[in-house]
Amino acid sequence: MANFDNLPDSRQSLLGYDHEGDEVWLIRGISQKQYTCPGCYGDVEIGEDHVIAQTVHRLGGTEHRHWHRGCALRTLAPALRRLKAVNAKESGRAQLERRGKRPAGKRGRRAPRR
Ligand SMILES: [Zn+2]
């Protein structure tokens, strides 16, 4: 796996796969409200530059969590396989939610092959 010291920014997101083969898209975000980081259970404060991890399940459906950048780098990113950089334009929330409406085999070129 590539080693990323660079987390997502406004031009680039990351895409990897979790242990179940679901897509996990790491996207840069600025919090509009306070969230709980799943890495450390601390607060992601309003206005904080952080990482949105949007999972697109193989069988369909999406969910997302808000991570501190440091926690995403130390905990989340190392747990993902085949992590690679993608253009941030491909990782819009609406786009990924649409993607989640189709099962993995019918999504086109980024679908994991099984
Ligand atoms: Zn955290």
Side-chain angles (χ1 to χ4, degrees):
M1 189 192 87
N3 206 356
F4 281 93
D5 343 304
N6 293 329
L7 278 167
D9 57 29
S10 52
R11 286 164 314 168
Q12 177 179 288
S13 299
L14 300 177
L15 168 61
Y17 298 87
D18 68 13
H19 61 284
E20 295 181 353
D22 292 334
E23 298 172 8
V24 182
W25 298 71
L26 305 186
I27 304 154
R28 181 203 186 215
I30 304 294
S31 332
Q32 306 293 315
K33 55 180 199 177
Q34 191 172 294
Y35 300 103
T36 300
C37 170
C40 68
Y41 303 104
D43 295 334
V44 177
E45 302 291 345
I46 294 170
E48 188 168 340
D49 192 348
H50 70 290
V51 174
I52 300 164
Q54 180 131 15
T55 302
V56 181
H57 297 285
R58 273 198 306 133
L59 300 179
T62 59
E63 59 181 314
H64 69 275
R65 305 297 300 272
H66 298 262
W67 290 71
H68 291 121
R69 290 179 71 83
C71 295
L73 188 63
R74 283 189 300 272
T75 310
L76 178 59
L80 299 176
R81 293 175 306 184
R82 288 152 58 200
L83 197 63
K84 65 182 175 185
V86 294
N87 192 314
K89 288 189 184 122
E90 293 180 53
S91 64
R93 172 116 163 237
Q95 242 171 312
L96 296 184
E97 280 171 2
R98 264 200 311 278
R99 188 172 176 78
K101 295 202 167 107
R102 325 188 70 187
K106 299 193 171 161
R107 283 180 198 151
R109 67 192 171 91
R110 290 212 188 275
R113 299 226 175 256
R114 306 231 136 216

